Amino acid sequence: MTAPSDIELVHAAAREISSQLGRVIVGQQTVVEELLTCVLAGGHCLLVGVPGLAKTLMVRSLADCLGLSFNRVQFT
């Protein structure tokens, strides 16, 4: 049996994170996947939407999953 490649490890981690976020954020799987893509690619993501779409909860939950700190920036 061969050791899993780096890509396979990242893919498995992304699936696990997506699964964990799916327990908190219901019905926004596409947004969760796009957010993970931004994070794994080392980029930035701007979440835009009407109030009540769980944007802050999503990012806070992602930070918790990854063991990162969380700070909220709000502007109009």
Side-chain angles (χ1 to χ4, degrees):
M1 185 167 162
T2 62
S5 69
D6 290 342
I7 293 174
E8 292 170 332
L9 292 173
V10 170
H11 188 253
R15 276 195 316 248
E16 180 62 27
I17 293 168
S18 180
S19 172
Q20 294 297 323
L21 288 177
R23 293 178 182 180
V24 177
I25 308 298
V26 179
Q28 296 191 41
Q29 187 62 30
T30 302
V31 177
V32 168
E33 290 173 3
E34 290 171 352
L35 182 61
L36 280 174
T37 300
C38 289
V39 170
L40 293 174
H44 299 274
C45 182
L46 178 63
L47 298 175
V48 179
V50 298
L53 292 180
K55 298 177 294 290
T56 302
L57 178 62
M58 184 181 312
V59 176
R60 182 179 292 131
S61 299
L62 177 62
D64 288 343
C65 283
L66 298 176
L68 303 172
S69 64
F70 170 79
N71 289 308
R72 183 171 184 261
V73 176
Q74 179 177 348
F75 61 94
T76 56

